[in-house]
């Protein structure tokens, strides 16, 4: 069976096409990504503006052609922070289905954290000790405290790179006063993470994006 997975992130839409083999493993056939920047200019206002909205639809139209080219039998498309938090997120999902035939499932922060954990567990050698997984997205950042067997704690925060850049409009290079303001905000937002880390005492940080 040839299948495709589309990750509709805030900044990037990722496409992976693979084939399931008889021994229940997978062979990667094709993968690509398109920068869509869905949250450009409006991510903290809670909607997708017209230009990035159309960029996202155009990206899916390109992906639709790849699905045909590779004779994909099943497509699994998942939308994350920008679409799930936008007032016109459902409109985007509806238009995508109408124009491309691709059905999009919008997942919440908990589901996203679960998938991040399983992906990292496949990619990184974890053991019985607890790790802190930090997945940096454009709209949200997920933190998961887990080992190779299970998740002990997880949370999704609206602290993605696109949200933070729009909120703070930082200088380049960043100034000392901006660093203080930025770090103060993060400490306020991540109190629950600090509390969980004190309880579970992770031994390493695993970063993903």
């Amino acid at each position: 069976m040839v299948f495709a997975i589309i990750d509709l992130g805030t900044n990037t839409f990722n496409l992976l096409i693979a084939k399931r083999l008889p021994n229940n493993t997978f062979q990667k056939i094709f993968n690509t990504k398109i920068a869509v920047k869905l949250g450009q200019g409006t991510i903290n206002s809670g909607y997708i503006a017209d230009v990035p909205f159309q960029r996202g639809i155009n990206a899916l139209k390109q992906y639709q052609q790849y699905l045909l080219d590779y004779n994909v039998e099943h497509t699994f498309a998942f939308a994350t922070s920008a679409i799930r938090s936008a007032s016109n997120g459902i409109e985007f999902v509806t238009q995508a289905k109408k124009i491309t035939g691709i059905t999009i499932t919008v997942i919440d922060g908990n589901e996203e954290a679960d998938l991040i954990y399983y992906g990292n567990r496949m990619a990184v050698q974890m053991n019985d000790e607890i790790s802190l997984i930090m997945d940096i997205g454009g709209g949200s950042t997920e933190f998961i405290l887990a080992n190779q067997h299970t998740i002990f704690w997880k949370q999704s925060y609206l602290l993605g790179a696109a949200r933070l850049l729009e909120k703070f409009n930082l200088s380049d290079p960043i100034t000392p006063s901006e660093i203080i303001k930025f770090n103060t905000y993060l400490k306020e937002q991540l109190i629950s993470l600090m509390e969980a880390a004190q309880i579970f005492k992770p031994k390493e940080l695993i970063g993903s994006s």
Side-chain angles (χ1 to χ4, degrees):
M1 179 187 75
V2 178
F3 65 94
I5 298 173
I6 303 174
D7 170 20
L8 291 86
T10 299
N11 284 333
T12 309
F13 285 4
N14 297 275
L15 169 67
L16 170 68
I17 297 175
K19 183 177 182 180
R20 183 190 290 272
L21 301 178
N23 61 356
N24 206 33
T25 59
F26 306 99
Q27 176 187 349
K28 184 173 71 174
I29 298 174
F30 176 79
N31 69 284
T32 189
K33 59 185 178 180
I34 298 175
V36 293
K37 297 183 178 178
L38 282 185
Q40 187 174 41
T42 60
I43 189 166
N44 291 318
S45 301
Y47 73 98
I48 304 169
D50 291 344
V51 172
F53 190 107
Q54 191 58 50
R55 272 201 303 264
I57 296 297
N58 290 341
L60 291 176
K61 288 167 70 175
Q62 291 185 51
Y63 286 175
Q64 179 191 35
Q65 187 58 53
Y66 287 127
L67 301 181
L68 295 172
D69 292 344
Y70 287 95
N71 298 312
V72 170
E73 299 167 67
H74 298 284
T75 300
F76 306 92
F78 301 96
T80 56
S81 181
I83 294 175
R84 70 172 172 248
S85 63
S87 58
N88 57 345
I90 297 303
E91 180 185 349
F92 183 91
V93 170
T94 302
Q95 286 296 311
K97 175 67 174 179
K98 180 180 179 181
I99 295 170
T100 70
I102 297 172
T103 300
I104 299 170
T105 300
V106 181
I107 60 173
D108 63 24
N110 280 328
E111 292 175 286
E112 187 174 0
D114 286 339
L115 294 174
I116 289 164
Y117 165 68
Y118 291 121
N120 275 275
R121 194 173 68 176
M122 291 178 67
V124 178
Q125 183 63 52
M126 299 177 69
N127 52 39
D128 291 339
E129 293 188 331
I130 296 176
S131 301
L132 172 61
I133 300 170
M134 176 183 180
D135 186 83
I136 306 167
S140 64
T141 295
E142 282 69 41
F143 290 93
I144 304 106
L145 287 159
N147 63 13
Q148 64 177 335
H149 305 293
T150 190
I151 295 173
F152 297 98
W153 179 93
K154 60 186 176 181
Q155 190 162 333
S156 178
Y157 296 88
L158 293 178
L159 296 174
R163 288 188 194 278
L164 292 173
L165 282 171
E166 182 181 299
K167 181 178 180 65
F168 286 93
N169 192 27
L170 300 169
S171 304
D172 185 11
I174 191 170
T175 66
S177 61
E178 287 174 333
I179 291 173
I180 293 171
K181 183 178 179 180
F182 187 75
N183 285 342
T184 299
Y185 178 76
L186 290 181
K187 288 177 181 178
E188 292 170 351
Q189 296 298 310
L190 295 174
I191 290 173
S192 57
L193 170 63
M194 297 299 103
E195 292 174 344
Q198 288 294 318
I199 294 170
F200 293 103
K201 303 186 185 309
K203 301 298 182 184
E204 66 177 356
L205 173 66
I206 300 172
S208 63
S209 178

